[in-house]
Amino acid sequence: MVSRPSLETAKAAEPDNFVEPLELGKRVKEIRLSKGWTLEEVSKRTGIARSTLSKIENDQVSPSFTIVQKLIQGLGMDLPQLFVETTPNSIAGRRDITRKGSGEPHPTATYEHELLNPSISRKKMVPFKTKVRARQFEEFKEWVRHDGEEFLLVLKGSINFFSEFYQPIELKEGDSVYYDAAMGHALVSLSEDDAEILWVVAR
């Protein structure tokens, strides 16, 4: 099993500690073949040795963040395109816009949630903005936990992020965290005013 760094030890200053998604090699090969390029051509476009590209495609090596950046630039793609295959036949064409302050309110004792894009049902992601009212961990009767994975971005102020298996950590405006939502978690505002965050739950 691959060891994953904890939230406290994973640092942005360590870009080569990059963990690629599953089947990245397969995806790189699919992209190359769809463009009709040989390994030699991709090597010239990316600056990555042909032998290294072959090993990546055959899942014999785990590319560093630097190598992935070269692949993105050389293949002329965005990061999500490299990680997620596009299936033309599955395009639903759904779209929903939420104007500022017009989301669906869901206030609680500790949070003031604003559900975004509520008119789309059966979403794979559930986005919402939240004002963090809680000022102490003791305000929570128990850990918050639910199925899925969760992304959190601090929009305003600062928070203390509590999680079941890690020490509390302060997150300031612009900081983000991605975590298993089944792990107990809770937020406390460290700001004089309620901190504001963006939350996205992936089902």
Side-chain angles (χ1 to χ4, degrees), residues 2 11 23 29 32-33 37 74 99 149 151 155:
V2 178
K11 301 176 182 177
E23 299 185 332
K29 187 173 183 178
R32 176 175 67 80
L33 294 177
W37 293 341
R99 299 294 185 185
E149 297 180 331
F151 170 79
L155 300 175

Side-chain angles (χ1 to χ4, degrees), residues 27 78-85:
R27 181 68 180 132
D78 270 333
L79 195 63
Q81 291 175 292
L82 183 61
F83 289 175
V84 182
E85 183 177 4

Side-chain angles (χ1 to χ4, degrees), residues 74-116:
L75 295 173
M77 308 187 77
D78 270 333
L79 195 63
Q81 291 175 292
L82 183 61
F83 289 175
V84 182
E85 183 177 4
T86 300
T87 308
N89 293 334
S90 67
I91 297 174
R94 299 195 299 172
R95 191 189 81 166
D96 183 45
I97 295 172
T98 300
R99 299 294 185 185
K100 182 178 179 180
S102 63
E104 187 177 288
H106 290 273
T108 70
T110 51
Y111 301 132
E112 186 176 335
H113 299 303
E114 181 189 356
L115 182 62
L116 306 176

Side-chain angles (χ1 to χ4, degrees), residues 29-95:
K29 187 173 183 178
E30 287 175 350
I31 294 170
R32 176 175 67 80
L33 294 177
S34 71
K35 294 177 180 289
W37 293 341
T38 64
L39 282 171
E40 193 64 38
E41 287 176 304
V42 174
S43 176
K44 291 178 181 178
R45 291 173 178 272
T46 61
I48 303 171
R50 183 187 182 283
S51 59
T52 301
L53 287 169
S54 178
K55 289 178 180 178
I56 291 172
E57 288 191 359
N58 290 288
D59 293 321
Q60 294 175 350
V61 295
S62 297
S64 67
F65 179 82
T66 302
I67 293 294
V68 171
Q69 287 293 94
K70 289 182 177 180
L71 283 170
I72 293 167
Q73 294 171 6
L75 295 173
M77 308 187 77
D78 270 333
L79 195 63
Q81 291 175 292
L82 183 61
F83 289 175
V84 182
E85 183 177 4
T86 300
T87 308
N89 293 334
S90 67
I91 297 174
R94 299 195 299 172
R95 191 189 81 166

